[in-house]
Amino acid sequence: MSRRVRVRFAPSPTGPLHPGGIRTALYNYLLAKQQGGDFVLRIEDTDQTRFVPGAEEFIIAALKWCGIEPNEGVGFGDGPHAPYRQSERKHLYREFADKLIENGSAYYAFDTEEEIEQMRQNLTAQGVQSPSYNAVTRQYMKNSLTLPQDEVQKRLESGAAYVIRFKMPRNEEVKFHDEIREWVSFNTSQLADAVLLKSDGMPTYHLANVSDDYMMQITHVIRGEEWLSSAPLHILLYRALGIEDVMPKFAHLPLILKPDGNGKLSKRDGDRLGFPFYAINWKNQETGDVSEGYREKGFLPEAFINFLALLGWSPGENRKKMSLEEMIQLFSLDRVHKAGARYDFNMLKSLNHEYLMATDDNVLAESIRPQIEQMGMVYNEKYVTEFCRLMKERAHFASELLTLGYYFFEEVKEFDVETLKKKYKKEQRPVFDDLVTVISNQVDFTSIEIEKNIKGFIAERQLKIGEVMPVLRLGLAGTMQGPAVFDMMALLGKEKVVSRLQTSLSYFETVVV
């Protein structure tokens, strides 16, 4: 009988969630929604030494902004398998560790950190590369496999410090099917006797991960490529615990690579190349430093997750722009690539422009309202909505709108003088003065009527469009970039247009010889 699909996103609160983490959450979400299953958020905080204040809250807020919300888990409501923080599930893991001890799959190890380090140094001196506590070295260490049983019992009863380690089989092939990489094989001779339960009673990632996936009835483990080397240990743990029949399917996602070279994408690449790294603003509570997020930069969450979905997955037919609903319908693990995907920021900007163009003008106006208020201006909703309609075709993200079209809200700050010198002739000043008079006498100040009157004036004076329109645009905006001149004039209004043109023409006289 087939099981209900249940997937989990299980980040550690050791820092802000990076793009690779968001993509992992997204792929889990897409599979769960497509299969009518459950998407769980589990916080894996067993390593308290690496805990970063604010990281958990950041994870929850980032997922909410991206629109890929779990249906159970930390920050999203309890389900049947609560609690979802591993630090709150500490009492559950001992049972699994004890079972492994009882069936001989794990053992107590009493070695101190100094003794383990001495062992590594000795082996390194003998030419052993990457020495570890394994099937060979455990024979010479202080553990329940080498010590007499009565001494082991005595140490346990006296409260001596110990860890529980997995007894890795010696020279055994572990082969498993990965949903992305197909058949993968590891030899246990290359694997260490991993610690499962630490001396403070907290489980390590490996024990907690397998135990929780089993207890939470997870059917698919979709995680980053960096966890591939942990898979054989996890598979052996399922076998040793006698629960291999409900072991989830594994899928290890490819790396997200640097935009301009080999290697894994990092925050340094964003800093170096000038793009945000995190989904939303991250404030380091220790230093107070703030890292700008895509949300604050003006990117739309729909574009951000669309972009991340394409980093390693192909929906076919060379499709790029897709709604979340379309991604859910099209997603499949067998179309996820094995090779890493380069982080193409220009592609993200292009996608964001497409989503910006499709965004309702009222919604866009509301999104830039805080910026307008910050500039100390009165917020006229109708005016700003029309401004967004005119400007969004020229912007990649919302935060650019006011930068590119500032002249709709304040006077022109600077002019494209080089173009001005080519387009404006001093002897034309009387012609432009007459045109300003025509504009000031116009009653119906709509873009259609403005165009009709100005083109009529040009025809009547036997002028060329190229002699008039560039000067008008420069006079109103200071630049040759921007919306259609007639639309610009209609939005600015007759009084502002006449006043600005008069001021600009006087300035032109001082610039053009």
Side-chain angles (χ1 to χ4, degrees), residues 116-144:
I116 294 172
E117 181 57 32
Q118 186 61 55
M119 174 266 289
R120 290 178 177 143
Q121 288 180 11
N122 292 341
L123 290 174
T124 300
Q126 295 170 31
V128 177
Q129 293 186 343
S130 304
S132 65
Y133 203 122
N134 57 30
V136 175
T137 57
R138 68 186 177 217
Q139 300 173 74
Y140 311 103
M141 304 300 287
K142 294 178 183 176
N143 54 62
S144 57

PDB file of all heavy atoms in Angstrom, residues 116-144:
ATOM      1  N   ILE A 116      41.598  11.175  21.598  1.00  0.00           N
ATOM      2  CA  ILE A 116      41.228  11.040  20.177  1.00  0.00           C
ATOM      3  C   ILE A 116      42.193  11.848  19.316  1.00  0.00           C
ATOM      4  O   ILE A 116      42.646  11.387  18.260  1.00  0.00           O
ATOM      5  CB  ILE A 116      39.767  11.491  19.947  1.00  0.00           C
ATOM      6  CG1 ILE A 116      38.808  10.525  20.663  1.00  0.00           C
ATOM      7  CG2 ILE A 116      39.449  11.544  18.452  1.00  0.00           C
ATOM      8  CD1 ILE A 116      37.366  10.967  20.658  1.00  0.00           C
ATOM      9  N   GLU A 117      42.539  13.040  19.769  1.00  0.00           N
ATOM     10  CA  GLU A 117      43.463  13.881  19.021  1.00  0.00           C
ATOM     11  C   GLU A 117      44.848  13.237  18.961  1.00  0.00           C
ATOM     12  O   GLU A 117      45.520  13.286  17.928  1.00  0.00           O
ATOM     13  CB  GLU A 117      43.551  15.269  19.661  1.00  0.00           C
ATOM     14  CG  GLU A 117      44.472  16.248  18.957  1.00  0.00           C
ATOM     15  CD  GLU A 117      44.117  16.465  17.494  1.00  0.00           C
ATOM     16  OE1 GLU A 117      42.917  16.395  17.138  1.00  0.00           O
ATOM     17  OE2 GLU A 117      45.049  16.682  16.694  1.00  0.00           O
ATOM     18  N   GLN A 118      45.268  12.610  20.050  1.00  0.00           N
ATOM     19  CA  GLN A 118      46.559  11.934  20.075  1.00  0.00           C
ATOM     20  C   GLN A 118      46.577  10.784  19.075  1.00  0.00           C
ATOM     21  O   GLN A 118      47.568  10.575  18.364  1.00  0.00           O
ATOM     22  CB  GLN A 118      46.850  11.405  21.480  1.00  0.00           C
ATOM     23  CG  GLN A 118      48.250  10.812  21.643  1.00  0.00           C
ATOM     24  CD  GLN A 118      49.347  11.825  21.390  1.00  0.00           C
ATOM     25  OE1 GLN A 118      49.378  12.890  22.019  1.00  0.00           O
ATOM     26  NE2 GLN A 118      50.255  11.542  20.456  1.00  0.00           N
ATOM     27  N   MET A 119      45.445  10.057  18.998  1.00  0.00           N
ATOM     28  CA  MET A 119      45.329   8.958  18.030  1.00  0.00           C
ATOM     29  C   MET A 119      45.486   9.489  16.601  1.00  0.00           C
ATOM     30  O   MET A 119      46.212   8.916  15.776  1.00  0.00           O
ATOM     31  CB  MET A 119      43.975   8.264  18.191  1.00  0.00           C
ATOM     32  CG  MET A 119      43.669   7.195  17.146  1.00  0.00           C
ATOM     33  SD  MET A 119      42.715   7.836  15.707  1.00  0.00           S
ATOM     34  CE  MET A 119      41.112   8.110  16.454  1.00  0.00           C
ATOM     35  N   ARG A 120      44.858  10.594  16.313  1.00  0.00           N
ATOM     36  CA  ARG A 120      44.943  11.179  14.965  1.00  0.00           C
ATOM     37  C   ARG A 120      46.361  11.635  14.642  1.00  0.00           C
ATOM     38  O   ARG A 120      46.852  11.427  13.533  1.00  0.00           O
ATOM     39  CB  ARG A 120      43.964  12.355  14.848  1.00  0.00           C
ATOM     40  CG  ARG A 120      42.494  11.932  14.826  1.00  0.00           C
ATOM     41  CD  ARG A 120      41.593  13.138  14.770  1.00  0.00           C
ATOM     42  NE  ARG A 120      40.186  12.748  14.685  1.00  0.00           N
ATOM     43  CZ  ARG A 120      39.193  13.394  15.281  1.00  0.00           C
ATOM     44  NH1 ARG A 120      39.454  14.473  16.010  1.00  0.00           N
ATOM     45  NH2 ARG A 120      37.951  12.985  15.153  1.00  0.00           N
ATOM     46  N   GLN A 121      46.997  12.237  15.631  1.00  0.00           N
ATOM     47  CA  GLN A 121      48.369  12.708  15.415  1.00  0.00           C
ATOM     48  C   GLN A 121      49.324  11.536  15.169  1.00  0.00           C
ATOM     49  O   GLN A 121      50.199  11.604  14.297  1.00  0.00           O
ATOM     50  CB  GLN A 121      48.834  13.525  16.623  1.00  0.00           C
ATOM     51  CG  GLN A 121      48.179  14.887  16.750  1.00  0.00           C
ATOM     52  CD  GLN A 121      48.665  15.658  17.957  1.00  0.00           C
ATOM     53  OE1 GLN A 121      49.635  15.274  18.607  1.00  0.00           O
ATOM     54  NE2 GLN A 121      47.976  16.758  18.274  1.00  0.00           N
ATOM     55  N   ASN A 122      49.140  10.465  15.917  1.00  0.00           N
ATOM     56  CA  ASN A 122      49.988   9.281  15.746  1.00  0.00           C
ATOM     57  C   ASN A 122      49.830   8.685  14.352  1.00  0.00           C
ATOM     58  O   ASN A 122      50.815   8.318  13.692  1.00  0.00           O
ATOM     59  CB  ASN A 122      49.656   8.225  16.797  1.00  0.00           C
ATOM     60  CG  ASN A 122      50.053   8.663  18.200  1.00  0.00           C
ATOM     61  OD1 ASN A 122      50.871   9.568  18.363  1.00  0.00           O
ATOM     62  ND2 ASN A 122      49.484   8.026  19.209  1.00  0.00           N
ATOM     63  N   LEU A 123      48.576   8.597  13.895  1.00  0.00           N
ATOM     64  CA  LEU A 123      48.316   8.024  12.572  1.00  0.00           C
ATOM     65  C   LEU A 123      48.822   8.942  11.464  1.00  0.00           C
ATOM     66  O   LEU A 123      49.325   8.473  10.441  1.00  0.00           O
ATOM     67  CB  LEU A 123      46.812   7.754  12.405  1.00  0.00           C
ATOM     68  CG  LEU A 123      46.245   6.609  13.253  1.00  0.00           C
ATOM     69  CD1 LEU A 123      44.738   6.542  13.107  1.00  0.00           C
ATOM     70  CD2 LEU A 123      46.870   5.279  12.832  1.00  0.00           C
ATOM     71  N   THR A 124      48.697  10.228  11.673  1.00  0.00           N
ATOM     72  CA  THR A 124      49.200  11.191  10.683  1.00  0.00           C
ATOM     73  C   THR A 124      50.716  11.055  10.553  1.00  0.00           C
ATOM     74  O   THR A 124      51.266  11.087   9.441  1.00  0.00           O
ATOM     75  CB  THR A 124      48.827  12.632  11.085  1.00  0.00           C
ATOM     76  OG1 THR A 124      47.410  12.745  11.155  1.00  0.00           O
ATOM     77  CG2 THR A 124      49.365  13.635  10.079  1.00  0.00           C
ATOM     78  N   ALA A 125      51.378  10.878  11.691  1.00  0.00           N
ATOM     79  CA  ALA A 125      52.829  10.712  11.686  1.00  0.00           C
ATOM     80  C   ALA A 125      53.248   9.439  10.954  1.00  0.00           C
ATOM     81  O   ALA A 125      54.348   9.353  10.394  1.00  0.00           O
ATOM     82  CB  ALA A 125      53.344  10.686  13.120  1.00  0.00           C
ATOM     83  N   GLN A 126      52.329   8.461  10.933  1.00  0.00           N
ATOM     84  CA  GLN A 126      52.610   7.197  10.238  1.00  0.00           C
ATOM     85  C   GLN A 126      52.234   7.256   8.751  1.00  0.00           C
ATOM     86  O   GLN A 126      52.353   6.269   8.037  1.00  0.00           O
ATOM     87  CB  GLN A 126      51.837   6.056  10.907  1.00  0.00           C
ATOM     88  CG  GLN A 126      52.269   5.763  12.340  1.00  0.00           C
ATOM     89  CD  GLN A 126      51.333   4.794  13.045  1.00  0.00           C
ATOM     90  OE1 GLN A 126      50.741   3.926  12.400  1.00  0.00           O
ATOM     91  NE2 GLN A 126      51.191   4.953  14.364  1.00  0.00           N
ATOM     92  N   GLY A 127      51.759   8.430   8.316  1.00  0.00           N
ATOM     93  CA  GLY A 127      51.425   8.604   6.903  1.00  0.00           C
ATOM     94  C   GLY A 127      49.991   8.300   6.545  1.00  0.00           C
ATOM     95  O   GLY A 127      49.630   8.255   5.363  1.00  0.00           O
ATOM     96  N   VAL A 128      49.143   8.110   7.555  1.00  0.00           N
ATOM     97  CA  VAL A 128      47.720   7.845   7.294  1.00  0.00           C
ATOM     98  C   VAL A 128      47.023   9.156   6.973  1.00  0.00           C
ATOM     99  O   VAL A 128      47.099  10.120   7.736  1.00  0.00           O
ATOM    100  CB  VAL A 128      47.045   7.167   8.508  1.00  0.00           C
ATOM    101  CG1 VAL A 128      45.548   6.976   8.242  1.00  0.00           C
ATOM    102  CG2 VAL A 128      47.721   5.836   8.809  1.00  0.00           C
ATOM    103  N   GLN A 129      46.335   9.197   5.844  1.00  0.00           N
ATOM    104  CA  GLN A 129      45.602  10.402   5.447  1.00  0.00           C
ATOM    105  C   GLN A 129      44.196  10.376   6.061  1.00  0.00           C
ATOM    106  O   GLN A 129      43.545   9.347   6.104  1.00  0.00           O
ATOM    107  CB  GLN A 129      45.491  10.486   3.924  1.00  0.00           C
ATOM    108  CG  GLN A 129      46.827  10.712   3.235  1.00  0.00           C
ATOM    109  CD  GLN A 129      46.667  10.930   1.737  1.00  0.00           C
ATOM    110  OE1 GLN A 129      45.641  10.622   1.166  1.00  0.00           O
ATOM    111  NE2 GLN A 129      47.695  11.469   1.118  1.00  0.00           N
ATOM    112  N   SER A 130      43.765  11.511   6.549  1.00  0.00           N
ATOM    113  CA  SER A 130      42.427  11.660   7.145  1.00  0.00           C
ATOM    114  C   SER A 130      42.143  10.584   8.193  1.00  0.00           C
ATOM    115  O   SER A 130      41.181   9.804   8.065  1.00  0.00           O
ATOM    116  CB  SER A 130      41.350  11.624   6.055  1.00  0.00           C
ATOM    117  OG  SER A 130      41.583  12.602   5.085  1.00  0.00           O
ATOM    118  N   PRO A 131      42.958  10.474   9.231  1.00  0.00           N
ATOM    119  CA  PRO A 131      42.719   9.465  10.262  1.00  0.00           C
ATOM    120  C   PRO A 131      41.418   9.720  11.000  1.00  0.00           C
ATOM    121  O   PRO A 131      41.030  10.876  11.212  1.00  0.00           O
ATOM    122  CB  PRO A 131      43.921   9.633  11.192  1.00  0.00           C
ATOM    123  CG  PRO A 131      44.376  11.032  10.985  1.00  0.00           C
ATOM    124  CD  PRO A 131      44.115  11.319   9.546  1.00  0.00           C
ATOM    125  N   SER A 132      40.732   8.671  11.376  1.00  0.00           N
ATOM    126  CA  SER A 132      39.451   8.821  12.058  1.00  0.00           C
ATOM    127  C   SER A 132      39.219   7.662  13.016  1.00  0.00           C
ATOM    128  O   SER A 132      39.945   6.662  13.019  1.00  0.00           O
ATOM    129  CB  SER A 132      38.311   8.890  11.033  1.00  0.00           C
ATOM    130  OG  SER A 132      38.208   7.661  10.332  1.00  0.00           O
ATOM    131  N   TYR A 133      38.194   7.801  13.815  1.00  0.00           N
ATOM    132  CA  TYR A 133      37.768   6.749  14.749  1.00  0.00           C
ATOM    133  C   TYR A 133      36.910   5.799  13.917  1.00  0.00           C
ATOM    134  O   TYR A 133      35.765   6.088  13.598  1.00  0.00           O
ATOM    135  CB  TYR A 133      36.939   7.388  15.867  1.00  0.00           C
ATOM    136  CG  TYR A 133      36.871   6.620  17.167  1.00  0.00           C
ATOM    137  CD1 TYR A 133      37.298   7.212  18.352  1.00  0.00           C
ATOM    138  CD2 TYR A 133      36.363   5.327  17.241  1.00  0.00           C
ATOM    139  CE1 TYR A 133      37.226   6.541  19.567  1.00  0.00           C
ATOM    140  CE2 TYR A 133      36.283   4.649  18.437  1.00  0.00           C
ATOM    141  CZ  TYR A 133      36.718   5.258  19.615  1.00  0.00           C
ATOM    142  OH  TYR A 133      36.635   4.589  20.811  1.00  0.00           O
ATOM    143  N   ASN A 134      37.465   4.637  13.543  1.00  0.00           N
ATOM    144  CA  ASN A 134      36.762   3.758  12.611  1.00  0.00           C
ATOM    145  C   ASN A 134      36.914   2.289  12.991  1.00  0.00           C
ATOM    146  O   ASN A 134      37.350   1.961  14.103  1.00  0.00           O
ATOM    147  CB  ASN A 134      37.262   4.013  11.185  1.00  0.00           C
ATOM    148  CG  ASN A 134      38.770   3.833  11.054  1.00  0.00           C
ATOM    149  OD1 ASN A 134      39.373   3.028  11.771  1.00  0.00           O
ATOM    150  ND2 ASN A 134      39.375   4.585  10.143  1.00  0.00           N
ATOM    151  N   ALA A 135      36.573   1.409  12.050  1.00  0.00           N
ATOM    152  CA  ALA A 135      36.583  -0.031  12.318  1.00  0.00           C
ATOM    153  C   ALA A 135      37.955  -0.538  12.717  1.00  0.00           C
ATOM    154  O   ALA A 135      38.072  -1.551  13.428  1.00  0.00           O
ATOM    155  CB  ALA A 135      36.085  -0.778  11.085  1.00  0.00           C
ATOM    156  N   VAL A 136      39.008   0.153  12.303  1.00  0.00           N
ATOM    157  CA  VAL A 136      40.370  -0.258  12.655  1.00  0.00           C
ATOM    158  C   VAL A 136      40.804   0.388  13.971  1.00  0.00           C
ATOM    159  O   VAL A 136      41.215  -0.297  14.922  1.00  0.00           O
ATOM    160  CB  VAL A 136      41.360   0.111  11.532  1.00  0.00           C
ATOM    161  CG1 VAL A 136      42.786  -0.206  11.960  1.00  0.00           C
ATOM    162  CG2 VAL A 136      41.012  -0.639  10.249  1.00  0.00           C
ATOM    163  N   THR A 137      40.705   1.693  14.045  1.00  0.00           N
ATOM    164  CA  THR A 137      41.237   2.408  15.213  1.00  0.00           C
ATOM    165  C   THR A 137      40.422   2.161  16.475  1.00  0.00           C
ATOM    166  O   THR A 137      40.958   2.293  17.586  1.00  0.00           O
ATOM    167  CB  THR A 137      41.294   3.923  14.937  1.00  0.00           C
ATOM    168  OG1 THR A 137      39.986   4.389  14.588  1.00  0.00           O
ATOM    169  CG2 THR A 137      42.247   4.232  13.798  1.00  0.00           C
ATOM    170  N   ARG A 138      39.154   1.810  16.354  1.00  0.00           N
ATOM    171  CA  ARG A 138      38.356   1.578  17.565  1.00  0.00           C
ATOM    172  C   ARG A 138      38.906   0.417  18.407  1.00  0.00           C
ATOM    173  O   ARG A 138      38.640   0.322  19.608  1.00  0.00           O
ATOM    174  CB  ARG A 138      36.891   1.316  17.207  1.00  0.00           C
ATOM    175  CG  ARG A 138      36.611   0.015  16.485  1.00  0.00           C
ATOM    176  CD  ARG A 138      35.156  -0.072  16.054  1.00  0.00           C
ATOM    177  NE  ARG A 138      34.879  -1.290  15.289  1.00  0.00           N
ATOM    178  CZ  ARG A 138      34.040  -1.340  14.260  1.00  0.00           C
ATOM    179  NH1 ARG A 138      33.417  -0.246  13.841  1.00  0.00           N
ATOM    180  NH2 ARG A 138      33.811  -2.483  13.638  1.00  0.00           N
ATOM    181  N   GLN A 139      39.665  -0.463  17.760  1.00  0.00           N
ATOM    182  CA  GLN A 139      40.219  -1.616  18.474  1.00  0.00           C
ATOM    183  C   GLN A 139      41.272  -1.211  19.505  1.00  0.00           C
ATOM    184  O   GLN A 139      41.624  -1.994  20.390  1.00  0.00           O
ATOM    185  CB  GLN A 139      40.854  -2.588  17.474  1.00  0.00           C
ATOM    186  CG  GLN A 139      39.888  -3.134  16.434  1.00  0.00           C
ATOM    187  CD  GLN A 139      40.605  -3.957  15.384  1.00  0.00           C
ATOM    188  OE1 GLN A 139      41.028  -5.083  15.657  1.00  0.00           O
ATOM    189  NE2 GLN A 139      40.761  -3.383  14.194  1.00  0.00           N
ATOM    190  N   TYR A 140      41.795   0.021  19.378  1.00  0.00           N
ATOM    191  CA  TYR A 140      42.871   0.479  20.258  1.00  0.00           C
ATOM    192  C   TYR A 140      42.412   1.625  21.169  1.00  0.00           C
ATOM    193  O   TYR A 140      43.243   2.239  21.835  1.00  0.00           O
ATOM    194  CB  TYR A 140      44.059   0.938  19.417  1.00  0.00           C
ATOM    195  CG  TYR A 140      44.448  -0.068  18.360  1.00  0.00           C
ATOM    196  CD1 TYR A 140      44.103   0.127  17.024  1.00  0.00           C
ATOM    197  CD2 TYR A 140      45.122  -1.244  18.706  1.00  0.00           C
ATOM    198  CE1 TYR A 140      44.433  -0.814  16.059  1.00  0.00           C
ATOM    199  CE2 TYR A 140      45.454  -2.189  17.742  1.00  0.00           C
ATOM    200  CZ  TYR A 140      45.110  -1.972  16.420  1.00  0.00           C
ATOM    201  OH  TYR A 140      45.429  -2.911  15.464  1.00  0.00           O
ATOM    202  N   MET A 141      41.098   1.868  21.203  1.00  0.00           N
ATOM    203  CA  MET A 141      40.576   2.988  21.978  1.00  0.00           C
ATOM    204  C   MET A 141      39.772   2.479  23.176  1.00  0.00           C
ATOM    205  O   MET A 141      39.542   1.270  23.329  1.00  0.00           O
ATOM    206  CB  MET A 141      39.693   3.877  21.082  1.00  0.00           C
ATOM    207  CG  MET A 141      40.403   4.403  19.829  1.00  0.00           C
ATOM    208  SD  MET A 141      41.867   5.416  20.160  1.00  0.00           S
ATOM    209  CE  MET A 141      41.099   6.904  20.767  1.00  0.00           C
ATOM    210  N   LYS A 142      39.334   3.400  24.047  1.00  0.00           N
ATOM    211  CA  LYS A 142      38.592   3.036  25.262  1.00  0.00           C
ATOM    212  C   LYS A 142      37.102   3.025  24.973  1.00  0.00           C
ATOM    213  O   LYS A 142      36.444   4.070  24.984  1.00  0.00           O
ATOM    214  CB  LYS A 142      38.895   4.045  26.379  1.00  0.00           C
ATOM    215  CG  LYS A 142      40.336   4.008  26.866  1.00  0.00           C
ATOM    216  CD  LYS A 142      40.551   5.072  27.921  1.00  0.00           C
ATOM    217  CE  LYS A 142      42.015   5.112  28.385  1.00  0.00           C
ATOM    218  NZ  LYS A 142      42.254   6.208  29.351  1.00  0.00           N
ATOM    219  N   ASN A 143      36.568   1.860  24.676  1.00  0.00           N
ATOM    220  CA  ASN A 143      35.145   1.741  24.375  1.00  0.00           C
ATOM    221  C   ASN A 143      34.611   0.385  24.833  1.00  0.00           C
ATOM    222  O   ASN A 143      35.376  -0.483  25.277  1.00  0.00           O
ATOM    223  CB  ASN A 143      34.903   1.958  22.882  1.00  0.00           C
ATOM    224  CG  ASN A 143      35.748   1.045  22.025  1.00  0.00           C
ATOM    225  OD1 ASN A 143      35.616  -0.181  22.096  1.00  0.00           O
ATOM    226  ND2 ASN A 143      36.637   1.628  21.214  1.00  0.00           N
ATOM    227  N   SER A 144      33.329   0.199  24.721  1.00  0.00           N
ATOM    228  CA  SER A 144      32.709  -1.034  25.223  1.00  0.00           C
ATOM    229  C   SER A 144      33.024  -2.244  24.354  1.00  0.00           C
ATOM    230  O   SER A 144      32.625  -3.366  24.686  1.00  0.00           O
ATOM    231  CB  SER A 144      31.189  -0.846  25.329  1.00  0.00           C
ATOM    232  OG  SER A 144      30.635  -0.480  24.069  1.00  0.00           O
TER     233      SER A 144
END
